[in-house]
Amino acid sequence: MMFKHLFKLIWNKKKQNFLLMTEMLFSFLVLFAVFTLLVYYYDNYKKPMGFEYQNVWVISYNNAYQTKNADSLNNYYGILRKSIKAMPEVRELSFCSFNTPFSNNMSQGRVTYHKKEFYHMNFYTADDSYQATMNMQVLEGRWFNKTDVVAKDKPIVINSDTKEQLFGKGTAVGQLIVNGDDKDKMMRVIGVVQSIKVKGDYAPAGLGLYQRADTGSLRWFGKIMVQVVPGVSAAFEGRLYKTMANYMKDSNIEIEHLTNKRTSINYFTLIPMIVLSIVGGFLVINVALGLFGVLWYNINQRRGEIGLRRAVGASGNAVSSQLIYESMILATLSLIVGSFFAVQFPLLNVFDLSAGIYISAMLLAIIFIYLLVFVCSLYPGRQAAAIYPAVALHEE
């Protein structure tokens, strides 16, 4: 009977309550978007980075040495490799393509497996020492070595995300993948490595495919990954720069630390979340003030009703609870409508996110709205409970 009475009171003020419910509905939808982004970022953050970046530097250079002679090219970069590797502060180094970790550079393509196409595949080209330089974890098979030169099919290494997408729980090593639509360009998987989050802590690793560098690759390479011993000084960075500049006299040399690049790209990734959180925060404050004002107005308009209830024996807690219940019912009606729209996202697989992210965000938004409504109802409810029956009835 109590809830029937509450619904009747709500219906009698349907215009005023409709506006309040509309505010709650839009607040829920904005909070759902904010929490979806937060849960998505947290889900990515808790996944392993996939490699050790703390003591890895990136050397960028212009390819100043131009020659059509393959032996001469190999010899040129072989001498440079030995010069850098001879430094006691250097543990390992690797020549690789320009899409290094924590950079905004990408090289994407499409692969086909059993007539199923996979888009947005990140292609990386690296030499045999890349895995050791990055301390990448090999989960299945092996990394590249010199024996791959004579392989019939082009050898490739894929990351764990690609393995899951293409082969599920099956074995990846030995499988053949088609590069685009060209069936003559068959690629054979020789290993699987842990996916590395090349776009920072909060972004997904994405599909990744590694190709072995050859002599032709040296013509367009412009990056060297260098793993140094912990705690090297700035003086060593100066000597490393001088070594590169003296050897590649017409080249522009730049040395960057992956730790600094990671910090920068994390800030860039967090910008959408910060903006959306600010918008959501302003909306929540607006709804809280609106809800608080409406409840306060209701108390002043219903002083006679509240005084009569107190006069016939209703306790202050009962009066306070009634106002809180009314607010919670309005919130529930708004959340039912909002949840109907929110549940469409996992059902329709919008933005290709897992259903768990949407469900978690929806539950967090529901809890937040309920807490907001409850907190905003407490003080007006206590004010209503403090109304004296005689004073209220005298005013009427």
Side-chain angles (χ1 to χ4, degrees):
M1 288 295 293
M2 182 186 71
F3 284 103
K4 183 178 180 181
H5 174 68
L6 291 175
F7 275 108
K8 188 174 182 180
L9 291 174
I10 291 172
W11 178 255
N12 289 337
K13 298 182 178 181
K14 50 184 175 291
K15 289 185 178 180
Q16 180 179 334
N17 290 330
F18 177 76
L19 293 175
L20 188 59
M21 287 173 58
T22 302
E23 284 190 44
M24 292 182 185
L25 172 61
F26 280 107
S27 295
F28 168 78
L29 294 176
V30 172
L31 287 171
F32 172 68
V34 172
F35 281 123
T36 297
L37 196 60
L38 288 174
V39 173
Y40 171 70
Y41 281 167
Y42 175 73
D43 187 61
N44 291 326
Y45 178 79
K46 67 182 182 181
K47 292 178 181 177
M49 184 63 75
F51 73 110
E52 295 180 12
Y53 60 88
Q54 290 84 353
N55 298 304
V56 178
W57 298 355
V58 183
I59 304 176
S60 302
Y61 62 91
N62 295 338
N63 202 327
Y65 187 74
Q66 300 294 332
T67 178
K68 294 182 179 180
N69 188 294
D71 292 334
S72 178
L73 195 67
N74 269 334
N75 185 58
Y76 178 83
Y77 285 104
I79 294 173
L80 178 61
R81 177 190 292 272
K82 290 179 181 178
S83 299
I84 298 175
K85 191 72 179 291
M87 296 179 175
E89 295 88 350
V90 175
R91 286 181 171 176
E92 191 58 84
L93 66 98
S94 171
F95 289 85
C96 60
S97 52
F98 57 88
N99 48 347
T100 54
F102 311 142
S103 69
N104 291 315
N105 299 321
M106 292 189 300
S107 177
Q108 293 188 334
R110 174 172 56 91
V111 299
T112 306
Y113 177 70
H114 285 180
K115 297 182 179 180
K116 188 175 181 181
E117 296 179 334
F118 296 86
Y119 294 86
H120 307 297
M121 177 71 69
N122 293 292
F123 282 77
Y124 303 94
T125 305
D127 62 19
D128 297 349
S129 58
Y130 187 82
Q131 179 265 330
T133 303
M134 306 287 282
N135 282 328
M136 298 169 65
Q137 183 181 359
V138 178
L139 304 177
E140 185 180 332
R142 62 175 177 83
W143 188 255
F144 303 114
N145 58 42
K146 293 181 179 179
T147 62
D148 293 318
V149 175
V150 295
K152 177 183 177 182
D153 300 306
K154 185 177 183 178
I156 59 170
V157 175
I158 60 176
N159 66 9
S160 53
D161 283 13
T162 304
K163 191 252 184 184
E164 183 178 348
Q165 284 285 320
L166 271 64
F167 312 113
K169 295 183 179 179
T171 302
V173 174
Q175 300 288 348
L176 289 172
I177 301 174
V178 179
N179 189 349
D181 293 322
D182 193 347
K183 294 184 179 180
D184 294 329
K185 294 183 178 180
M186 301 297 292
M187 302 180 293
R188 186 177 297 276
V189 178
I190 64 169
V192 179
V193 294
Q194 175 67 51
S195 297
I196 65 175
K197 296 191 288 187
V198 294
K199 295 300 178 184
D201 296 78
Y202 306 102
L207 304 180
L209 183 155
Y210 297 87
Q211 307 171 99
R212 185 175 186 269
D214 54 22
T215 303
S217 303
L218 293 173
R219 300 181 192 279
W220 56 271
F221 273 173
K223 302 286 184 180
I224 305 175
M225 307 295 294
V226 179
Q227 182 190 136
V228 299
V229 298
V232 293
S233 63
F236 165 69
E237 185 174 345
R239 285 195 292 112
L240 178 60
Y241 178 88
K242 188 175 181 179
T243 299
M244 289 287 301
N246 288 338
Y247 191 76
M248 307 180 78
K249 297 185 182 299
D250 297 323
S251 179
N252 294 321
I253 309 298
E254 182 182 7
I255 300 176
E256 299 174 285
H257 299 197
L258 282 190
T259 50
N260 297 334
K261 292 175 69 67
R262 168 179 167 265
T263 302
S264 298
I265 202 166
N266 279 343
Y267 285 143
F268 180 79
T269 307
L270 289 173
I271 287 175
M273 185 189 72
I274 294 171
V275 172
L276 193 57
S277 297
I278 292 173
V279 173
F282 276 117
L283 185 59
V284 166
I285 293 172
N286 183 58
V287 171
L289 293 174
L291 180 61
F292 191 85
V294 167
L295 293 175
W296 191 278
Y297 177 79
N298 282 345
I299 292 172
N300 292 325
Q301 292 296 309
R302 297 166 62 181
R303 289 179 68 87
E305 173 197 334
I306 294 170
L308 183 60
R309 287 199 61 199
R310 293 298 307 276
V312 298
S315 65
N317 287 335
V319 173
S320 178
S321 298
Q322 177 185 332
L323 291 176
I324 294 175
Y325 285 144
E326 286 182 25
S327 301
M328 299 302 277
I329 289 173
L330 289 174
T332 301
L333 295 175
S334 299
L335 291 174
I336 289 173
V337 178
S339 297
F340 170 78
F341 290 107
V343 81
Q344 304 305 312
F345 283 79
L347 291 177
L348 300 176
N349 195 28
V350 180
F351 302 123
D352 199 27
L353 300 180
S354 67
I357 291 176
Y358 288 123
I359 293 172
S360 298
M362 186 166 61
L363 292 176
L364 287 171
I366 289 173
I367 293 171
F368 191 93
I369 291 293
Y370 272 133
L371 286 174
L372 178 67
V373 172
F374 179 75
V375 170
C376 291
S377 304
L378 278 179
Y379 185 72
R382 288 182 179 179
Q383 291 295 106
I387 294 176
Y388 289 100
V391 175
L393 292 174
H394 177 73
E395 290 176 357
E396 289 293 312

